[in-house]
Amino acid sequence: MSTENNNSTRADSPQSAAAAAHQAREHAPAPSAAEEADPIRELAQAMEGPLQVPAHTPEEVRDTVAALERRLIGGQREFRRREVAAQAGVSLHSARKLWRAMGFPELSDDEVFFTKRDEEALATMVGMVRDGKLTEETAISLMRSVGQMTDRMVVWQIEALVEDMIANQNMSDRQARRQLFDMLPDLIPQIEDLLLYSWRRQLNSAVHRMALRAEAGVAAYTHGSGGDDDTPLPLARAVGFADLVSYTSLSRRMNERTLAQMVQRFESKSAEIISVGGGRLVKTIGDEVLYVAETPQAGAQIALSLSREFEADELLPQTRGAVVWGRLLSRLGDIYGPTVNMAARLTSLAQPGTVLTDAVTANTLKNDTRFVLTAQEITAVRGFGDIQPYELSAGVGAGLVID
């Protein structure tokens, strides 16, 4: 990470072009009455800069948002990007890479966007690189993980609060979003505390997985598959998918509210079952959920519970699922490798209400009376050739208990 701070700007540089564009907007002819009345045009113009607010925004909303902003970002915006980079002792080029990783908008040199807290955050990350604790690439990856996860989390939280007010306080969507401005000041400290609490708990769980169980997982995979440890994929995990049946056709017949409720119910119920089973929810993609578990038995129990619970749910369609025990790579909060691909292919082959697995996983589970494994027809699977799928069913025992 370069620490030189060069304030010279070439005439053809991106910064100079942005400044020229900003100046052109400032001296542009006044819009006509028709243009002023066009809310879409007004919104598009406001989106050209991070500090612009549509002209028709009510004054009380502007004041409320301004007060919230000062609380959330640590005061009044007072610094430009070059000033913050200079204070942190880093080049603007390096600072911009970190800000982009966080999801900040692209700024021109003359936009006052940053506070003292932004300067401190940048200096912290730069300091870790200078001290040799992180490479620049790793610092950017960490910033991107924080930016992407918190962005999704904030959108999720806001929509949950809005939906609650619409459903339980008989508000319109617009009324609920206005009311949220008044609610947030009281909610910020509690949500902030919960975020830190959850992060520490999740990090503790990751430490246990990494330090206490990783070697045992690899040993279990090697023993079950009869293979050796000569592989670039370091983690042994059960990978599972669950996919809502007929989601596309159902969504076409639903209004927006009903579709949102169905997706939310699917995601929350899946997350609960995976958590009870000791697994980890990797991600949801509309009508599909991807998860991992540390043993093939745990993965199989989760797969069967997902199938059983959705079969019994009157508001949701059936699922088709698959679970595969194997090696994988974890990067950027996601998982990769042939094991993930195999689980995805088997999910697409499964019949509604059933769970499939492969021969390696079936061999690992065959002596466990909690599971019944039924061989299916040998099938050609893209990327894998001819494989022997097995249908996974519940054997002796009650399976996971979901309250």
Side-chain angles (χ1 to χ4, degrees):
M1 180 176 288
S2 171
T3 57
E4 65 172 304
N5 185 53
N6 187 355
N7 287 315
S8 63
T9 306
R10 290 171 44 196
D12 61 347
S13 69
Q15 295 88 348
S16 178
H22 182 81
Q23 186 176 17
R25 287 199 300 271
E26 282 189 336
H27 297 285
S32 66
E35 289 173 331
E36 287 180 342
D38 185 350
I40 295 178
R41 180 183 179 87
E42 180 187 318
L43 181 61
Q45 290 174 337
M47 291 298 292
E48 291 179 6
L51 304 182
Q52 296 184 42
V53 178
H56 291 91
T57 303
E59 196 66 33
E60 64 271 18
V61 175
R62 292 171 182 255
D63 294 342
T64 303
V65 171
L68 269 175
E69 176 178 284
R70 288 192 294 272
R71 180 172 178 178
L72 289 169
I73 69 175
Q76 194 81 24
R77 300 178 191 246
E78 54 182 326
F79 302 115
R80 296 170 178 81
R81 61 182 191 175
R82 287 188 178 276
E83 295 168 335
V84 175
Q87 283 295 110
V90 65
S91 70
L92 180 59
H93 176 71
S94 293
R96 286 172 65 196
K97 286 197 288 186
L98 290 168
W99 290 329
R100 284 176 178 172
M102 278 290 291
F104 284 9
E106 191 63 26
L107 303 166
S108 65
D109 279 343
D110 59 347
E111 287 181 287
V112 179
F113 184 80
F114 297 100
T115 68
K116 187 69 176 176
R117 189 174 292 174
D118 294 305
E119 179 187 306
E120 291 167 354
L122 181 62
T124 297
M125 191 58 68
V126 170
M128 286 194 286
V129 174
R130 286 207 184 100
D131 293 343
K133 297 176 181 176
L134 303 174
T135 64
E136 182 179 9
E137 182 180 359
T138 303
I140 290 170
S141 182
L142 287 179
M143 294 286 270
R144 184 172 291 116
S145 74
V146 172
Q148 290 184 3
M149 293 301 104
T150 52
D151 173 72
R152 183 170 187 259
M153 180 186 67
V154 165
V155 172
W156 186 338
Q157 291 170 344
I158 287 175
E159 294 307 318
L161 291 168
V162 169
E163 284 293 325
D164 177 72
M165 286 187 281
I166 292 171
N168 298 317
Q169 299 182 41
N170 200 28
M171 292 185 182
S172 68
D173 186 89
R174 184 175 182 182
Q175 288 172 329
R177 293 180 191 278
R178 291 279 183 86
Q179 183 67 28
L180 189 57
F181 291 141
D182 297 325
M183 292 175 56
L184 278 176
D186 292 332
L187 293 176
I188 288 168
Q190 288 89 344
I191 295 176
E192 194 170 33
D193 288 345
L194 286 173
L195 174 61
L196 181 57
Y197 160 77
S198 178
W199 180 81
R200 286 180 175 273
R201 268 290 183 177
Q202 297 291 356
L203 184 57
N204 181 63
S205 296
V207 167
H208 277 258
R209 289 195 300 268
M210 177 176 59
L212 304 180
R213 303 176 192 171
E215 291 300 322
V218 170
Y221 170 77
T222 302
H223 173 76
S225 63
D228 56 31
D229 196 33
D230 185 21
T231 173
L233 303 178
L235 300 177
R237 295 287 188 271
V239 177
F241 279 95
D243 181 13
L244 284 176
V245 175
S246 303
Y247 171 80
T248 302
S249 60
L250 281 171
S251 63
R252 288 172 181 163
R253 301 197 299 269
M254 292 179 176
N255 60 39
E256 182 179 321
R257 181 70 54 78
T258 305
L259 177 61
Q261 289 172 342
M262 186 183 78
V263 171
Q264 184 174 341
R265 186 176 180 86
F266 171 63
E267 291 189 359
S268 60
K269 199 162 189 173
S270 297
E272 180 184 11
I273 293 167
I274 293 165
S275 177
V276 169
R280 181 175 72 85
L281 176 62
V282 177
K283 62 182 176 181
T284 55
I285 314 168
D287 62 335
E288 190 172 62
V289 62
L290 169 63
Y291 61 92
V292 293
E294 293 181 33
T295 67
Q297 292 79 10
Q301 289 277 43
I302 291 170
L304 291 174
S305 294
L306 287 167
S307 180
R308 183 184 70 244
E309 292 295 321
F310 286 112
E311 177 86 35
D313 194 309
E314 296 179 353
L315 300 178
L316 290 170
Q318 292 178 301
T319 61
R320 54 169 61 89
V323 61
V324 176
W325 172 247
R327 303 290 285 268
L328 55 86
L329 180 69
S330 178
R331 287 290 185 273
L332 304 176
D334 209 338
I335 55 175
Y336 305 89
T339 301
V340 183
N341 297 337
M342 173 65 81
R345 300 284 190 273
L346 288 174
T347 301
S348 66
L349 293 176
Q351 294 298 311
T354 67
V355 177
L356 292 183
T357 190
D358 69 334
V360 171
T361 311
N363 185 57
T364 305
L365 298 172
K366 66 182 180 181
N367 294 323
D368 193 322
T369 59
R370 293 174 297 175
F371 310 110
V372 175
L373 294 140
T374 307
Q376 306 294 295
E377 291 185 9
I378 292 176
T379 306
V381 175
R382 180 165 54 90
F384 293 93
D386 291 341
I387 67 164
Q388 173 76 76
Y390 286 78
E391 182 176 339
L392 176 69
S393 307
V396 177
L400 294 182
V401 177
I402 311 298
D403 294 333

